């Protein structure tokens, strides 16, 4: 995640309505029973489940012995990661070393490869789904099934536990009503002359998941499909030629300064800006475009050669506990266990009530379609602006 800049690769999201078919009930418990001897059964780096480690007590002890966790590309203002990190540190007395919060998913993968065997290598990653799949294919991630494994829908995780989806949102249009008299609510609106020099994306779609989602949504709004992202590329090419699109990465800073008064971004980020800048001269409105509904999840993964393997696994257990899931929800993101938590009454109802409302049920691209879209963007995005 970056603080709203070039953060992610492509991913896929199921809405709460879609997930209500889950058969399992109950979010992951905050604590699992420890082993009788309180010791890990295997080395943490080889553990594929909490049982392998001897239970939660043994995992906590091993993680506290390591004393730290290396994370990358987790900006504090992205889906409430700032509070999530602080809560983890306070609960387990483990220091979180947060590096390069504005990094992209491709930067995360590069760090895993270039720092192999180094103590400063990232222990865990938060990736766009395309990068999670490719990283798993390159054997970069350790298989680990969190306690909540059975509650994560099959389509939202790797069968071997090398990655699993965590939280997500919908592509939305954020607009500063203090500067824009009539805020756009659809992709078609964005072509109007009144928005000249005002429309921005959150990064480059060949590297950023939010920007990728913006192009995919634009494709759906212009007679494209999951198998054909070209209409989305053409749309932004047209938007650029009209002078409406500006090549400035939308970030909290550019929003506050008025440099990107219209930003195509995830709904949870745009909703966060509305709260963050209230009373600061910014009247940020959020709309999910009805002509191009597209949603994504991001995915978690553990570095196969994590320098702090126990802390990495404890981090995963925390994120997929009711506490961790509700912290994402507090950041306006839709956690993967939201339907389960709604069923068993562990959900933060106040936070859930603040989620942007969505009409209809979204569909999701297949892996092959995502790969094709990514390849098409890599080949043709820059050409659209030449």
């Amino acid at each position: 995640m970056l603080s709203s800049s070039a953060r992610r690769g492509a991913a896929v999201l199921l809405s709460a309505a879609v997930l209500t078919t889950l058969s399992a009930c109950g979010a992951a418990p905050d604590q699992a029973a420890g082993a009788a001897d309180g010791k890990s059964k295997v080395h943490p780096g080889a553990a594929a489940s909490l049982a392998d480690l001897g239970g939660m007590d043994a995992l906590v002890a091993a993680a506290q012995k390591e004393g730290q966790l290396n994370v990358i590309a987790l900006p504090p203002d992205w889906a409430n990661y700032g509070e999530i990190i602080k809560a983890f540190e306070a609960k387990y007395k483990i220091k979180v070393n947060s590096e390069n919060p504005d990094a992209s998913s491709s930067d995360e993968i590069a760090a895993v490869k270039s720092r192999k065997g180094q103590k400063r290598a990232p222990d865990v990653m938060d990736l766009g789904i395309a990068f999670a799949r490719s990283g798993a294919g390159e054997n970069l991630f350790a298989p680990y099934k969190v306690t909540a494994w059975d509650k994560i829908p099959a389509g939202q995780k790797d069968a071997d536990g090398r990655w699993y989806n965590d939280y997500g949102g919908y592509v939305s249009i954020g607009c500063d009503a203090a500067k824009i008299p009539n805020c756009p609510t659809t992709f078609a609106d964005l072509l109007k002359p009144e928005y000249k020099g005002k429309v921005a994306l959150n990064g480059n779609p060949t590297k950023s998941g939010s920007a990728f989602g913006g192009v995919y949504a634009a494709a759906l709004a212009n007679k494209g499909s999951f198998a054909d992202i070209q209409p989305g590329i053409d749309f932004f090419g047209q938007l650029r030629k009209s002078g409406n699109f500006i090549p400035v990465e939308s970030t909290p800073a550019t929003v506050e300064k008025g440099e990107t008064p219209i930003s195509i971004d995830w709904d949870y980020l745009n909703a966060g800006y509305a709260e963050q800048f209230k009373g600061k001269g910014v009247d940020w409105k959020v709309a999910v475009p009805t002509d191009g509904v597209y949603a994504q999840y991001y995915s978690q993964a553990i570095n196969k050669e994590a320098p702090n393997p126990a802390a990495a696994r404890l981090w995963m257990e925390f994120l997929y506990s009711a506490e961790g899931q509700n912290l994402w929800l507090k950041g306006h993101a839709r956690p993967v266990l939201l339907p389960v938590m709604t069923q068993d009454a562990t959900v933060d109802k106040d936070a859930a009530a603040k989620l942007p409302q969505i009409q209809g049920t979204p569909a999701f691209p297949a892996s092959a379609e995502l790969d094709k879209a990514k390849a098409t963007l890599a080949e043709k995005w820059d050409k659209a602006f030449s």
Side-chain angles (χ1 to χ4, degrees):
M1 296 144 257
L2 36 253
S3 66
S4 239
S5 42
R7 167 61 191 93
R8 319 269 182 195
V12 196
L13 169 71
L14 281 177
S15 67
V18 177
L19 293 177
T20 53
T21 56
L22 290 177
S23 58
C25 294
D30 287 336
Q31 293 287 332
D37 58 7
K39 297 180 180 178
S40 297
K41 296 180 179 180
V42 300
H43 185 277
S49 69
L50 193 61
D52 288 346
L53 292 157
M56 181 60 85
D57 291 344
L59 173 57
V60 171
Q64 289 178 333
K65 184 176 181 180
E66 292 170 350
Q68 62 182 357
L69 174 76
N70 298 338
V71 303
I72 185 172
L74 302 185
D77 54 0
W78 180 288
N80 202 31
Y81 258 116
E83 185 173 353
I84 290 171
I85 289 173
K86 290 179 180 178
F88 179 81
E89 288 181 321
K91 184 168 187 174
Y92 296 113
K93 305 300 185 290
I94 293 171
K95 177 177 173 54
V96 176
N97 304 313
S98 182
E99 180 186 355
N100 195 6
D102 289 344
S104 66
S105 291
S106 59
D107 293 330
E108 294 183 70
I109 295 295
V112 169
K113 293 178 178 179
S114 65
R115 299 178 186 180
K116 184 177 180 179
Q118 298 181 25
K119 291 183 179 180
R120 66 190 189 99
D123 291 305
V124 293
M125 285 143 286
D126 181 311
L127 301 156
I129 188 64
F131 290 90
R133 292 180 188 277
S134 63
E138 294 183 73
N139 198 30
L140 298 178
F141 308 146
Y144 182 79
K145 296 182 179 181
V146 292
T147 301
W149 176 258
D150 290 340
K151 301 174 180 66
I152 302 173
Q156 305 301 304
K157 60 190 177 185
D158 171 65
D160 296 323
R162 294 172 296 178
W163 59 264
Y164 15 91
N165 287 346
D166 40 30
Y167 66 90
Y170 289 77
V171 169
S172 66
I173 300 173
C175 171
D176 187 357
K179 295 181 174 65
I180 308 295
N182 300 299
C183 283
T185 59
T186 66
F187 280 98
D189 286 344
L190 295 174
L191 292 169
K192 294 178 179 179
E194 62 193 277
Y195 303 129
K196 187 172 182 177
K198 293 179 169 56
V199 183
L201 276 171
N202 180 345
N204 185 312
T206 65
K207 298 179 179 180
S208 161
S210 53
F212 177 97
V215 179
Y216 231 151
L220 299 179
N222 289 276
K223 300 182 179 180
S225 66
F226 291 140
D228 182 16
I229 198 174
Q230 186 62 49
I233 298 174
D234 295 340
F235 173 82
F236 277 96
Q238 182 181 0
L239 204 64
R240 176 66 181 276
K241 289 179 181 178
S242 71
N244 289 15
F245 182 71
I246 52 177
V248 176
E249 293 183 6
S250 178
T251 68
T254 64
V255 168
E256 185 174 13
K257 293 177 182 178
E259 296 172 357
T260 55
I262 299 174
S263 176
I264 301 169
D265 211 337
W266 297 126
D267 60 347
Y268 53 88
L269 294 182
N270 274 326
Y273 295 160
E275 290 186 356
Q276 183 177 353
F277 300 125
K278 187 176 183 179
K280 295 184 178 181
V282 177
D283 184 12
W284 201 249
K285 304 297 183 183
V286 186
V288 174
T290 55
D291 56 350
V293 178
Y294 182 72
Q296 290 183 0
Y297 266 128
Y298 285 105
S299 306
Q300 296 291 330
I302 297 174
N303 184 355
K304 187 177 182 180
E305 299 192 28
N308 303 291
R313 286 156 176 78
L314 182 60
W315 172 255
M316 293 299 173
E317 293 291 349
F318 177 72
L319 293 181
Y320 290 86
S321 69
E323 181 179 358
Q325 294 279 292
N326 273 321
L327 286 172
W328 270 323
L329 183 59
K330 187 177 178 181
H332 305 290
R334 292 168 169 82
V336 72
L337 297 180
L338 177 58
V340 178
M341 295 166 61
T342 300
Q343 292 172 9
D344 68 14
T346 58
V347 71
D348 182 334
K349 294 181 180 179
D350 290 338
K354 294 179 181 179
L355 291 175
Q357 296 301 304
I358 306 297
Q359 297 295 324
T361 300
F364 310 97
S367 297
E369 292 172 327
L370 281 171
D371 292 341
K372 182 181 178 181
K374 184 179 177 183
T376 300
L377 275 169
E379 178 186 356
K380 298 183 177 181
W381 177 255
D382 289 338
K383 295 179 182 179
F385 300 102
S386 60

